[in-house]
Amino acid sequence: MKKKSFKVCAILMAATLLCSSCIGSFSLFNKYEKWQCSMTGNKYVNGIVGFILQPIVGGICLFVDALVLNTIEFWTGDNPVADAGTRIVVGQDGRYYAVKTLKDGYEVKSPTGEVTRFIHDVTNDSWSMSQNGVTKEIFRFNADGTIQATLQDGQTLTVGNDEAGLQQVREAVLGDRYFALR
């Protein structure tokens, strides 16, 4: 009897390793579950087909997620199956904006429907803003560790990559005007 309870305790202790806090997002399994719930228009048919598929397909998805994809996500910080997705964020003006992650940057859709893209150019390590067909470079990282900021009037300003550099850009943009934020 003691041997049997020891085996059960050992199995339960080993199973707790799978329930650690850094388990990952389980993107593949969640995609399968979302598909399973919406594969047909009838929730009863979805339930019956899901009852048949869950032990096989769900088990495979869960196994691949737990051992392969979540391990990749842990070491690289990126799950190869995860959607970039769109997030809704609240702007400083209190309105909701849809921010979509792209391979080369971000796309921001305002409540009025206006779309702005922020694009990262890997070749010269710069960020640009594209709006209404017009693309303007915002800033670029220089090889010496400084940042070249492009001001609204088209002039460029090279500053350090620190708080003092940020303050220099603020002063160049705002001049003597300062705003208090809450």
Side-chain angles (χ1 to χ4, degrees):
M1 187 68 175
K2 283 189 175 188
K3 254 187 176 183
K4 187 176 183 180
S5 61
F6 178 74
K7 287 181 182 179
V8 170
C9 286
I11 290 171
L12 288 174
M13 291 297 284
T16 60
L17 295 175
L18 294 175
C19 299
S20 67
S21 63
C22 54
I23 57 174
S25 61
F26 286 93
S27 298
L28 180 64
F29 184 75
N30 290 336
K31 281 185 178 187
Y32 165 71
E33 286 296 319
K34 196 177 290 183
W35 171 81
Q36 180 185 335
C37 292
S38 62
M39 67 179 125
T40 68
N42 188 330
K43 66 180 180 181
Y44 300 108
V45 174
N46 290 347
I48 293 169
V49 174
F51 185 71
I52 295 168
L53 291 178
Q54 184 68 33
I56 300 163
V57 179
I60 292 170
C61 289
L62 191 61
F63 179 77
V64 169
D65 246 343
L67 293 181
V68 178
L69 298 175
N70 288 342
T71 303
I72 293 170
E73 183 178 1
F74 176 77
W75 289 106
T76 65
D78 187 33
N79 191 317
V81 179
D83 283 336
T86 302
R87 292 189 177 192
I88 305 299
V89 298
V90 180
Q92 289 180 341
D93 58 0
R95 299 187 314 172
Y96 293 94
Y97 294 84
V99 179
K100 182 178 182 181
T101 304
L102 307 171
K103 286 190 179 228
D104 62 345
Y106 301 96
E107 182 178 275
V108 180
K109 187 173 184 180
S110 72
T112 60
E114 188 176 80
V115 175
T116 304
R117 293 189 68 204
F118 295 96
I119 306 159
H120 181 250
D121 185 1
V122 179
T123 57
N124 60 6
D125 203 10
S126 68
W127 281 89
S128 301
M129 181 176 79
S130 178
Q131 189 175 39
N132 299 329
V134 179
T135 302
K136 296 179 184 177
E137 184 178 291
I138 303 170
F139 65 91
R140 75 175 54 205
F141 296 98
N142 297 325
D144 62 356
T146 60
I147 295 175
Q148 179 180 326
T150 305
L151 304 176
Q152 294 169 335
D153 60 1
Q155 295 180 355
T156 60
L157 178 66
T158 303
V159 297
N161 189 4
D162 55 9
E163 286 185 42
L166 179 60
Q167 184 61 31
Q168 286 177 328
V169 173
R170 279 187 187 144
E171 289 172 2
V173 171
L174 298 175
D176 292 335
R177 298 174 295 171
Y178 290 96
F179 297 98
L181 294 176
R182 188 167 63 132

